[in-house]
Amino acid sequence: MAEKKIIAVVGATGAQGSGLAKAILSDPNGGFTARVLTRDVSSDKAKELAKLGAEVVAADVDSVESLKNAFRGAYGAFCVTFFWEHFSPEKEIAEAKAMAEAAKHAGLQHVIWSTLEDTRKWVPLGDNRMPTLHGKYKVPHFDGKGEADKVFTELGVPTTFLLTSFYWDNFIYSGMGPKKGPDGELAITFPMGDNKLPGIAAEDIGKCAYGIFKRGRELVGKTVGIAGEHLSGKEMAAAFSKALGREVRYNAIEPDVFRTFGPGADEAGNMFQFKRDFNDVYCGARNLAQSRALNPELQTFAQWLAVNGKRISVA
Ligand SMILES: NC(=O)c1ccc[n+]([C@@H]2O[C@H](COP(=O)([O-])OP(=O)(O)OC[C@H]3O[C@@H](n4cnc5c(N)ncnc54)[C@H](OP(=O)(O)O)[C@@H]3O)[C@@H](O)[C@H]2O)c1
């Protein structure tokens, strides 16, 4: 039997990477095996992946030497950065560079870089429709990733650029779920007008990435955008109403109002405004049929809610 190809998975104990690691490990005849990278090989999540059959290796995206070691002998790697750990696009770019250098050093045949748009291509810094943040970004956690695309290209790393979407899991973990207004009614609040928000179950990102690796080198050099569904605020509210058994409304507000909502709201307000103002570009880059072809188990929002609705605290 041919030897299995090793996929080194950065962030394997996190949302995106764990979906990929588990997809590989649950398909023993798929021709791949997972090497999971973690800073703490003794964590419960690392141990759980080891139990499922993963090789667990210590690595830190801030250390190129640890990445070279972790990528050695692998066929491919899934590369992701962790903006919310440090809030620095510069650090994300440096981490992407470290991963690209390590991939080149290891001679990897296929890398997936989990990226997002550099929104400054559409909203230059001089465009005052939204504030400039951190001195030179419009949507820092998008722009740094998009800027880092060239790091992989310039080093000649065979890369698929994976454009991800808003995780529906944010409704569980990021306080974006339905909230009671002053009138006592439940509502979700976004500055998206009537436009569609591409969303996805976080675990489906990893499953789509597995689909990309399974295509061989077909998608090397390509940008692949994924989403489970493109839904308007009203459509999401209707799905919430059905899943929760009580009416949830969509409260459409202006980005300027959203940006006043406290720490991090300026960044999120800019992000939603980019998705609203360039909705055709943003939705057009995330093809649902292709996402489903890569991951036949791709969940719709209603399916995701049926499993996860109870985990959303409704306040
Ligand atoms: N939330 C959304 O809607 C959304 C949508 C699209 C894209 N994104 C992007 O997704 C990215 C985060 O991915 P995620 O959600 O999969 O992350 P996550 O669930 O927060 O997981 C992060 C994992 O990465 C590992 N990690 C953190 N710092 C590390 C380091 N220095 N070196 C090596 N590993 C490190 C941690 O593992 P160990 O502790 O085991 O080392 C952790 O389990 C962000 O950059 C964000 O912008 C988010």
Side-chain angles (χ1 to χ4, degrees):
M1 201 177 122
E3 227 168 77
K4 288 185 178 182
K5 293 174 174 159
I6 299 168
I7 304 293
V9 184
V10 177
T13 57
Q16 297 190 27
S18 68
L20 171 59
K22 286 176 183 168
I24 295 171
L25 296 169
S26 65
D27 185 12
N29 299 319
F32 293 94
T33 183
R35 178 184 289 166
V36 310
L37 278 60
T38 172
R39 292 164 304 173
D40 179 5
V41 296
S42 65
S43 73
D44 288 347
K45 285 181 178 172
K47 282 187 194 151
E48 184 199 334
L49 290 165
K51 249 191 217 155
L52 294 174
E55 177 190 359
V56 178
V57 172
D60 190 313
V61 292
D62 294 321
S63 157
V64 70
E65 289 311 315
S66 77
L67 290 166
K68 282 181 182 169
N69 180 50
F71 287 177
R72 189 173 300 129
Y75 161 83
F78 177 78
C79 296
V80 57
T81 46
F82 313 102
F83 180 85
W84 306 107
E85 298 260 327
H86 46 66
F87 302 94
S88 165
E90 288 84 3
K91 206 160 154 55
E92 281 193 287
I93 294 165
E95 291 167 348
K97 197 155 178 260
M99 289 187 277
E101 278 174 15
K104 172 129 180 131
H105 185 263
L108 298 190
Q109 294 184 52
H110 193 177
V111 164
I112 296 178
W113 162 230
S114 176
T115 188
L116 288 165
E117 286 89 347
D118 183 342
T119 66
R120 296 165 298 181
K121 288 184 191 155
W122 292 271
V123 195
L125 295 184
D127 186 331
N128 291 326
R129 83 180 75 193
M130 59 178 80
T132 293
L133 303 175
H134 301 266
K136 52 178 178 169
Y137 302 100
K138 287 298 187 185
V139 186
H141 73 285
F142 272 54
D143 300 348
K145 292 181 182 69
E147 188 176 325
D149 287 358
K150 66 171 188 284
V151 161
F152 292 88
T153 313
E154 284 170 5
L155 282 174
V157 176
T159 305
T160 302
F161 301 89
L162 182 66
L163 286 173
T164 59
S165 291
F166 176 86
Y167 307 171
W168 292 321
D169 308 64
N170 291 330
F171 290 123
I172 304 172
Y173 301 114
S174 305
M176 288 188 185
K179 286 195 188 55
K180 248 187 217 163
D183 57 359
E185 300 294 328
L186 289 177
I188 50 169
T189 301
F190 289 102
M192 290 287 296
D194 293 331
N195 292 287
K196 305 262 190 190
L197 177 66
I200 194 163
E203 65 177 314
D204 277 332
I205 296 175
K207 289 183 180 180
C208 289
Y210 183 44
I212 292 172
F213 281 124
K214 282 198 296 187
R215 293 275 177 99
R217 293 168 56 86
E218 184 189 323
L219 295 169
V220 167
K222 304 268 193 311
T223 296
V224 176
I226 54 170
E229 275 189 289
H230 300 168
L231 295 172
S232 67
K234 267 191 189 156
E235 288 167 336
M236 284 191 283
F240 270 120
S241 302
K242 211 168 164 194
L244 302 179
R246 36 193 297 208
E247 201 196 339
V248 176
R249 287 191 294 209
Y250 169 50
N251 192 12
I253 58 167
E254 283 303 313
D256 275 341
V257 177
F258 193 93
R259 279 188 277 269
T260 65
F261 281 179
D266 50 359
E267 163 118 24
N270 283 11
M271 174 190 77
F272 286 123
Q273 188 175 354
F274 169 70
K275 294 177 184 181
R276 182 195 74 172
D277 292 357
F278 299 91
N279 202 246
D280 288 349
V281 170
Y282 188 75
C283 290
R286 287 157 175 79
N287 184 299
L288 300 179
Q290 187 183 29
S291 307
R292 191 164 297 284
L294 290 169
N295 168 19
E297 293 169 8
L298 190 74
Q299 295 164 73
T300 62
F301 187 46
Q303 286 170 330
W304 181 85
L305 271 176
V307 177
N308 295 284
K310 285 190 201 76
R311 301 170 66 204
I312 299 170
S313 72
V314 175

